[in-house]
């Protein structure tokens, strides 16, 4: 990829979905040039095998490569999708460098509840 546009990002996320065997993996490009993780779902039968972690690691690597932020809003408990609790999701995302978008450092340019800033890595 020479540039990261919406079409390239959609193709990349679809490839990750296929490679990892995920139920859903939707990532979009915001109008501000950030990545937005819309959906990450692992099939219930494959949960606990590290597939979600691998998908998120790959997304973080992509964001770091292009020096982009990742935005997301953790979902609430949802038995049909396998989400056990919002607090567990927040803990999961924090392991990858996400922080809550709140308090005196709140970024009012987004409604997303969690943000991950890119690591200092030059674009190649």
């Amino acid at each position: 990829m020479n540039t990261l546009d919406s079409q390239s990002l959609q193709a990349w996320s679809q490839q990750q979905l296929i490679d990892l065997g995920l139920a859903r993996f939707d990532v979009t490009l915001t109008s501000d040039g950030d990545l937005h993780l819309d959906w990450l779902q692992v099939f219930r039968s494959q949960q606990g095998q590290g597939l979600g972690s691998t998908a998120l690691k790959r997304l973080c690597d992509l964001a770091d490569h292009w020096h982009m932020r990742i935005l997301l809003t953790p979902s609430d408990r949802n038995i049909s999708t396998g989400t056990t609790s919002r607090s567990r999701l927040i803990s999961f995302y924090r392991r990858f460098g996400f922080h809550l978008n709140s308090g005196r450092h709140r970024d009012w340019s987004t409604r997303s509840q969690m943000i991950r800033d890119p690591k200092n890595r030059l674009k190649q």
Side-chain angles (χ1 to χ4, degrees):
M1 269 188 281
N2 292 332
T3 62
L4 188 61
D5 57 23
S6 293
Q7 187 175 359
S8 300
L9 180 60
Q10 184 179 15
W12 178 87
S13 60
Q14 183 66 28
Q15 190 61 53
Q16 304 314 304
L17 180 132
I18 293 166
D19 289 351
L20 297 171
L22 301 171
R24 276 183 86 177
F25 189 53
D26 300 329
V27 183
T28 54
L29 195 57
T30 71
S31 59
D32 290 333
D34 295 316
L35 298 175
H36 190 275
L37 178 58
D38 299 313
W39 200 269
L40 171 57
Q41 182 181 5
V42 177
F43 288 109
R44 189 179 301 270
S45 62
Q46 295 177 311
Q47 290 177 358
Q49 299 178 21
L51 297 175
S53 293
T54 300
L56 201 53
K57 168 90 170 73
R58 289 180 182 184
L59 179 59
C60 290
D61 289 346
L62 180 76
D64 291 345
H65 175 81
W66 293 103
H67 201 69
M68 300 170 83
R69 295 189 312 171
I70 306 171
L71 312 174
L72 63 85
T73 296
S75 62
D76 293 320
R77 180 183 167 101
N78 185 333
I79 294 172
S80 66
T81 61
T83 303
T84 56
S85 78
R86 182 170 158 54
S87 62
R88 286 185 69 185
L89 280 176
I90 289 171
S91 294
F92 172 73
Y93 292 126
R94 282 186 176 189
R95 290 194 334 239
F96 292 90
F98 285 85
H99 59 86
L100 290 172
N101 186 21
S102 61
R104 67 179 206 185
H105 299 292
R106 176 158 175 75
D107 181 344
W108 292 99
S109 70
T110 179
R111 291 180 163 199
S112 297
Q113 295 175 2
M114 295 191 85
I115 298 173
R116 180 188 181 272
D117 294 312
K119 303 295 181 215
N120 292 333
R121 191 169 148 183
L122 295 175
K123 200 188 217 185
Q124 297 174 348

